Amino acid sequence: MPAGKYTLDLTHASIVWKVSHFGLSNYVARFTDFDAIIEFNPNNIEKSKVTASINPMSVQTAYPNAEEKDFDNILATDKGWFNAKAFPRIEFQSTSINMLTDDTAKMSGNLVFLGVSKAVELDVTINGAMPSQPFSRKPTMGFSASTVIKRSDWGLDKYLPHIGDDVEVMIEGEFSKGPDD
């Protein structure tokens, strides 16, 4: 794959998270507005860089009648939850990538959430890469990543322990290189 900047194809990407609800089930939600860029170094993949940004106002839940109760907006704006009015972005910047096999890696980075920056580590799977994706005709690569964070580490402790502290985050993404990158 050629070196350079690869941008996220939001049509083929998702950020889904789940958290325990009273230990009875895992509540699942997603973000729909986010972006990420990979500065890809094919000569030394471990020197590649990843940055990402999430709009917390884009949280979507499967809460019944969420529109009527405005649940997604409450979750996004409430000071005890995502507090998006005060903190309109969730940011990630990689600090290292450690290749474990040809298609798996550990990526470390800083996650800035609710104004607090903490180190996180993601398990990354390289799903594949194409020098010319059949539809876009651009170099394209795809990844899956996951991590578990403790929400209380960022000060989000509303309803602990009834709503779990561990939040599993699952990420899917395809990235393509532009003609000028």
Side-chain angles (χ1 to χ4, degrees), residues 92 95 108-112 116-121 147 149 153-154:
F92 173 83
T95 55
S108 297
N110 294 315
L111 179 66
V112 179
V116 176
S117 180
K118 295 276 185 185
V120 296
E121 185 175 77
T147 190
I149 63 169
D153 286 349
W154 284 267

Side-chain angles (χ1 to χ4, degrees), residues 116-172:
V116 176
S117 180
K118 295 276 185 185
V120 296
E121 185 175 77
L122 292 97
D123 295 312
V124 178
T125 300
I126 302 165
N127 297 323
M130 298 179 164
S132 178
Q133 195 261 21
F135 297 116
S136 71
R137 307 267 187 248
K138 296 177 182 178
T140 303
M141 56 181 86
F143 301 90
S144 298
S146 63
T147 190
V148 176
I149 63 169
K150 288 201 173 296
R151 63 188 182 99
S152 62
D153 286 349
W154 284 267
L156 204 166
D157 56 7
K158 190 168 187 172
Y159 299 133
L160 279 176
H162 307 296
I163 306 298
D165 199 14
D166 290 343
V167 179
E168 184 178 352
V169 181
M170 298 147 290
I171 303 163
E172 297 290 333

Side-chain angles (χ1 to χ4, degrees), residues 57-95:
M57 288 297 297
S58 73
V59 67
Q60 281 187 345
T61 66
Y63 195 84
N65 302 317
E67 297 83 24
E68 290 174 23
K69 297 181 182 181
D70 207 16
F71 183 72
D72 291 352
N73 188 57
I74 291 168
L75 189 59
T77 60
D78 186 275
K79 289 181 182 176
W81 292 112
F82 293 125
N83 198 7
K85 290 179 183 173
F87 304 102
R89 305 302 300 168
I90 300 167
E91 304 282 345
F92 173 83
Q93 185 166 4
S94 68
T95 55

